[in-house]
Amino acid sequence: MTATFCEYKPGLEGIPVTKSSISFVDGQKGILEYRGIAIEELAKRSSFLETAYLLIWGELPSQQQLQEFQIDILFHRRIKYRIRDMMKCFPESGHPMDALQTSAAALGLFYARRALDDPEYIRKAVVRILAKIPTMVAAFHQMRRGNDAVQPNDELDYAANFLYMLTERVPHPLEAKIFDICLTLHAEHTINASTFSAMVTASTLTDPYAVVASAVGTLAGPLHGGANEEVLLMLESIGSVGNVEPYISNLIINKQKIMGFGHRVYKVKDPRAKILQELAVDLFSETGHDRYYDLALELERVIELKLGQKGIYPNIDFYSGLVYRKLGIPSDLFTPIFAIARVAGWLAHWKEQLAVNRIFRPTQVYTGQHDIAYISMSER
Ligand code: SDX
């Protein structure tokens, strides 16, 4: 028996799995770029759909390209009544991420053609997915409360329309703008777990709906996108500023992870967390203070004191929930909102993967035995 030796790295830490020009992270300096453009610049000057175009097609669109992209997406925002009917059968107590994963996969039933070498097929799939995912998230939210889904409003742009479908209220322009920036911040982040999941699925040459559905399932976990919901639950159970220190000490003594903190790549504060914090403050100055923000600040102070030397600082999931909470969004929709945004990154990596595809098929370090005799049932 010949043994091949490969260094095993748990979690593939530090192992490149692709060559990519989509985004760049410097975890020591706290730098994030999409297609070479600093995230701070995009947050200030771009929009989510323009950023999605940049990520997926590789460059900033001209005014006409952006307009066509926006119109295409607007045209495809509705979902088929059969999908709505299917969603009505989902249990209302089900988690919206499970509902989203199921609905995203169901798109493959309705748009079954698979022509991965046809640029027009790729373009249409991109548009359909970006357009319909927010509608499905909002529809499930309405249905679980016993309401019909709110139809998309053609007068509203991408971010405003999502908030409208969720609440049946046209949002204030500041709310829509802040939400749009949140989507931009979440759109892409190199080879995170859900993107890797999307790439592995893409590498089998399956359809893009399966690619997105597998990525949604991966994003849902509390070590990844699911942390944003957990952060709010944690703030709720801490309750007051005075409880922060003992609560955190207890978690650390019991070797439990503090949600919204730490990152495989960042050893400083996540640049997206900094921007989200600023957005939260902007929102509070317009709409009133949130006492959870005081808790969050104290949490950050205590964790920096206790774990800062290990490079554990707030990540993207720490401040996003405070912004969404102020926008009136229930906490179990925080991760689906992450998915609405991250679809842009998943699709960019899907396209990049198809261009140079080879199926992912890594190896293992076998730790079992060999030549074991089969024992018949009566002798076990
Ligand atoms: C996202 O990868 C991406 O880019 C993801 C993401 C994206 O945009 O796609 O940025 C989005 O997923 C953000 C992360 C959300 N998750 C959380 O907030 C959950 C809490 N954080 C962690 O569990 C953890 O920090 C991870 C999962 C984010 C990273 O895990 P690693 O790289 O495997 O790190 P680790 O668990 O091996 O920890 C290394 C050390 C350990 O201490 P030692 O045993 O070496 O002494 O750091 C400690 C850990 O105990 N540590 C923490 C901690 N995170 C790391 N200790 C307490 N609380 C934490 N949150």
Side-chain angles (χ1 to χ4, degrees):
M1 187 81 36
T2 51
T4 43
F5 175 76
C6 266
E7 194 189 352
Y8 162 58
K9 291 274 196 169
L12 295 182
E13 181 166 3
I15 311 253
V17 294
T18 193
K19 290 182 177 177
S20 179
S21 60
I22 299 170
S23 64
F24 168 82
V25 173
D26 181 328
Q28 301 296 333
K29 295 190 184 143
I31 294 173
L32 169 60
E33 295 168 348
Y34 294 169
R35 299 285 188 189
I37 304 177
I39 190 65
E40 292 78 5
E41 191 76 349
L42 290 166
K44 209 178 293 164
R45 300 179 56 188
S46 186
S47 66
F48 172 66
L49 280 189
E50 184 185 61
T51 297
Y53 187 104
L54 168 74
L55 290 166
I56 296 167
W57 306 110
E59 47 190 37
L60 287 169
S62 66
Q63 194 164 7
Q64 190 187 340
Q65 286 168 327
L66 181 59
Q67 243 167 25
E68 283 171 9
F69 189 51
Q70 286 166 331
I71 290 170
D72 249 3
I73 286 182
L74 189 127
F75 187 73
H76 284 92
R77 289 200 293 213
R78 281 159 208 274
I79 51 175
K80 291 187 184 288
Y81 79 86
R82 284 177 198 276
I83 295 187
R84 288 205 303 275
D85 285 356
M86 175 193 80
M87 295 177 75
K88 281 181 192 155
C89 299
F90 294 171
E92 51 215 36
S93 58
H95 196 282
M97 277 301 267
D98 295 324
L100 178 60
Q101 189 184 19
T102 312
S103 322
L107 288 176
L109 291 165
F110 291 88
Y111 306 102
R113 179 170 167 260
R114 187 169 59 219
L116 300 177
D117 50 2
D118 175 358
E120 186 51 18
Y121 171 85
I122 304 277
R123 191 192 65 78
K124 273 207 174 125
V126 162
V127 165
R128 246 183 219 131
I129 292 171
L130 278 166
K132 293 184 194 303
I133 293 276
T135 311
M136 295 192 300
V137 171
F140 177 68
H141 179 60
Q142 291 292 354
M143 288 170 187
R144 67 178 172 169
R145 298 189 305 167
N147 301 331
D148 276 331
V150 175
Q151 290 297 324
N153 181 335
D154 290 349
E155 303 300 313
L156 299 176
D157 70 14
Y158 196 82
N161 175 59
F162 174 72
L163 294 174
Y164 167 78
M165 290 186 297
L166 212 57
T167 58
E168 267 186 290
R169 176 180 68 81
V170 174
H172 187 278
L174 178 73
E175 294 175 314
K177 176 70 193 150
I178 284 183
F179 187 70
D180 191 70
I181 298 172
C182 291
L183 295 180
T184 300
L185 295 176
H186 285 81
E188 157 66 7
H189 209 241
T190 74
I191 312 302
N192 54 86
S194 56
T195 298
F196 186 45
S197 185
M199 287 163 59
V200 172
T201 309
S203 81
T204 70
L205 300 185
T206 186
D207 69 67
Y209 311 105
V211 169
V212 169
S214 66
V216 170
T218 309
L219 184 71
L223 292 187
H224 192 13
N228 55 12
E229 181 181 351
E230 301 286 332
V231 167
L232 213 79
L233 298 178
M234 174 173 74
L235 293 176
E236 268 165 23
S237 52
I238 292 176
S240 70
V241 170
N243 287 342
V244 169
E245 223 281 332
Y247 186 97
I248 293 303
S249 298
N250 188 43
L251 287 184
I252 293 174
I253 289 165
N254 290 303
K255 297 200 178 305
Q256 284 181 293
K257 295 282 162 62
I258 299 138
M259 293 292 134
F261 284 83
H263 197 277
R264 174 65 61 79
V265 183
Y266 291 120
K267 299 305 158 202
V268 294
K269 187 166 173 176
D270 186 329
R272 300 165 298 176
K274 286 187 191 170
I275 303 173
L276 281 162
Q277 185 173 2
E278 287 164 15
L279 291 179
V281 171
D282 285 353
L283 199 55
F284 300 153
S285 67
E286 283 297 319
T287 57
H289 191 67
D290 183 338
R291 67 183 188 88
Y292 279 20
Y293 184 58
D294 302 328
L295 284 182
L297 286 180
E298 177 63 1
L299 205 63
E300 186 176 345
R301 188 191 71 78
V302 169
I303 291 170
E304 184 171 351
L305 270 179
K306 292 185 185 286
L307 297 173
Q309 79 287 359
K310 280 174 128 183
I312 294 166
Y313 289 93
N315 60 47
I316 187 164
D317 287 331
F318 188 58
Y319 283 108
S320 58
L322 288 184
V323 176
Y324 299 148
R325 180 175 130 92
K326 202 65 186 171
L327 294 176
I329 298 173
S331 58
D332 63 358
L333 292 182
F334 296 174
T335 318
I337 288 169
F338 193 154
I340 289 173
R342 186 54 60 86
V343 156
W346 295 332
L347 292 171
H349 284 272
W350 170 60
K351 244 179 108 262
E352 196 175 64
Q353 180 65 33
L354 290 182
V356 292
N357 191 52
R358 194 166 184 219
I359 190 167
F360 278 99
R361 203 315 180 181
T363 189
Q364 62 174 2
V365 178
Y366 179 62
T367 60
Q369 297 167 298
H370 294 287
D371 300 328
I372 303 294
Y374 180 81
I375 305 168
S376 60
M377 186 67 82
S378 59
E379 289 166 28
R380 282 178 223 163

